[in-house]
Amino acid sequence: LFLRKYNPCGNELWSFEMNSDLPLSLTHLNIDSNQNILLSGRYDEFNQNPRAYLIKVNTFGTVLFSKIYETSSAANSNIYSVSVTSEGDYLMYGLYDFTLVSPDNRKMFVSKIDTNGVVQWLRLYDFTSFGFGPITTTKDKGAIVKNSNILFKIDSVGEIKWAKKFNRLGDVSNSIETDSGYVFFGYTIGAIDRSNAYLVKPDGSIGWETNTFLFGSDFYPQAGIQRKNGNLLYTGSYQFGINKSIFVELDPKNGAIQRFEELNTTGFFSIDLIEDSKGNILFTGADDRWIVSNLLCGKLNDTLSTVSCLNSNLTHPGLPFSLIELEDMTIGSSLNTDFTDNILNITATTL
């Protein structure tokens, strides 16, 4: 596992790798309100005994804590996503105590972790799945969680406020909370492979949906932000064919496309982005033109004018599908205390 920090001009400030006695796989990277970096993922994945881990690093690259989270039986736990609360704590979401063969126990869990990495509570939910998705904290101190074709909203102690099942939600990036609700942008593989963005209102109903993107059906969004101008900006690449970094800007009120741009160079794909204080867009990804992929970092101005114009060869891929709510779901939950934090011994070596 490695971590590098760059200044706004793309110059490396520091870089180091972290090693433990067993492999670490990275699932998520978060920045908290104090600009600390939170790395999360799976520990000991390849020995079929994965457990969740969190590593907290300050802005100078110093490791503040490193922890693994496990049950008393050291059973498997699989982490899907971590999100930072408004108080600076962390919500961890994943599979609790699962097995790989039947009969299995694949209950979903959400756990609250404090700023020192200590478990505050863990809640199990009475449905099982290997379907994954993000957890995103909300302004009401709760969170919205996606699992397969289910969305559920929890309050500040993890109790479910509503849960709804849909016909297809797709593989989505983290939701973005707007004045009207929560916007998701995803990619669905099915009878028609398609990108689709949609607004979920605070009560769980669908506000709007945009799935007739003129730039092709195989745009795969990786990350999104709400810009200072209020619009939503997403980045990703084409799911099939030649990779290109793509940027799509949407109106949060109705999902209308405000801008679509792609980098001229094929073989680049971007996976994350931020907006700086001047409105410039900084993004990261990979340069996949060579046998071994290289790290890609880039900077666009506030109008994205450094990338190409719309491609006239991109067409609508067929009839759109509609996102349909299938049912309201009643899902029980229970608090669970068999989930503890333990020290994860790692060494950090400067690269």
Side-chain angles (χ1 to χ4, degrees):
L1 186 67
F2 74 90
L3 185 65
R4 288 175 176 164
K5 184 176 181 179
Y6 297 87
N7 67 14
C9 296
N11 298 316
E12 185 178 302
L13 298 178
W14 49 257
S15 176
F16 64 87
E17 66 177 8
M18 288 171 282
N19 294 291
S20 68
D21 57 333
L22 292 168
L24 299 172
S25 64
L26 181 66
T27 300
H28 223 68
L29 184 150
N30 296 87
I31 307 294
D32 67 17
S33 56
N34 293 317
Q35 300 303 302
N36 295 310
I37 303 159
L38 190 73
L39 306 172
S40 56
R42 292 181 294 275
Y43 166 79
D44 192 16
E45 179 178 28
F46 300 109
N47 288 333
Q48 296 188 345
N49 186 25
R51 281 152 285 169
Y53 75 81
L54 295 179
I55 300 174
K56 186 175 181 179
V57 180
N58 68 16
T59 189
F60 303 107
T62 303
V63 175
L64 302 179
F65 71 72
S66 55
K67 301 250 181 122
I68 57 173
Y69 298 85
E70 54 192 355
T71 66
S72 58
S73 62
N76 298 341
S77 60
N78 197 352
I79 184 171
Y80 288 154
S81 179
V82 170
S83 189
V84 182
T85 72
S86 57
E87 294 86 6
D89 298 321
Y90 313 113
L91 291 182
M92 180 191 297
Y93 164 56
L95 279 172
Y96 176 86
D97 195 5
F98 71 90
T99 57
L100 298 178
V101 295
S102 298
D104 54 47
N105 177 15
R106 301 172 182 173
K107 283 193 173 183
M108 312 308 301
F109 80 87
V110 173
S111 181
K112 186 175 183 180
I113 313 294
D114 71 13
T115 56
N116 295 314
V118 178
V119 175
Q120 300 300 294
W121 52 257
L122 178 137
R123 188 172 289 274
L124 295 177
Y125 301 98
D126 292 338
F127 64 95
T128 61
S129 175
F130 266 154
F132 61 91
I135 183 171
T136 307
T137 54
T138 52
K139 295 175 183 176
D140 59 5
K141 299 183 180 181
I144 188 166
V145 190
K146 187 261 185 187
N147 173 259
S148 296
N149 287 324
I150 298 170
L151 290 176
F152 62 101
K153 179 72 174 65
I154 60 174
D155 64 15
S156 60
V157 293
E159 292 187 352
I160 292 180
K161 308 304 293 181
W162 54 257
K164 294 181 181 290
K165 185 175 183 179
F166 297 86
N167 60 331
R168 56 178 81 185
L169 292 176
D171 186 6
V172 301
S173 58
N174 282 10
S175 65
I176 299 175
E177 186 171 6
T178 70
D179 293 338
S180 303
Y182 316 103
V183 176
F184 292 84
F185 200 156
Y187 183 83
T188 299
I189 298 177
I192 301 176
D193 295 350
R194 184 180 299 281
S195 313
N196 68 318
Y198 45 89
L199 172 76
V200 178
K201 294 180 180 180
D203 64 359
S205 61
I206 298 297
W208 53 256
E209 181 187 9
T210 300
N211 59 28
T212 54
F213 295 106
L214 297 178
F215 47 86
S217 64
D218 61 348
F219 168 62
Y220 194 99
Q222 293 283 359
I225 58 172
Q226 185 160 29
R227 301 192 65 184
K228 294 176 175 59
N229 63 11
N231 288 339
L232 308 178
L233 181 65
Y234 295 86
T235 192
S237 61
Y238 292 120
Q239 172 72 346
F240 302 105
I242 299 174
N243 280 324
K244 281 191 175 183
S245 287
I246 302 171
F247 298 86
V248 182
E249 191 165 345
L250 302 179
D251 185 334
K253 298 186 292 297
N254 53 25
I257 300 172
Q258 304 300 298
R259 185 177 292 112
F260 161 68
E261 307 286 354
E262 64 180 28
L263 292 181
N264 288 320
T265 304
T266 59
F268 287 172
F269 62 94
S270 48
I271 60 173
D272 208 355
L273 77 168
I274 61 170
E275 184 177 25
D276 67 15
S277 59
K278 297 180 180 179
N280 298 310
I281 304 301
L282 306 174
F283 66 94
T284 59
D287 178 357
D288 208 21
R289 294 174 296 170
W290 319 107
I291 296 177
V292 178
S293 296
N294 296 306
L295 184 66
L296 170 69
C297 296
K299 183 176 182 178
L300 308 176
N301 64 26
D302 59 345
T303 64
L304 310 183
S305 60
T306 55
V307 293
S308 67
C309 297
L310 283 168
N311 186 337
S312 60
N313 294 323
L314 296 170
T315 59
H316 192 288
L319 294 175
F321 65 82
S322 296
L323 186 65
I324 301 170
E325 180 185 328
L326 299 180
E327 61 178 303
D328 277 312
M329 301 185 68
T330 301
I331 299 175
S333 66
S334 59
L335 289 173
N336 185 289
T337 57
D338 188 11
F339 196 64
T340 57
D341 52 276
N342 296 296
I343 298 297
L344 170 62
N345 293 315
I346 63 170
T347 56
T349 305
T350 300
L351 293 176

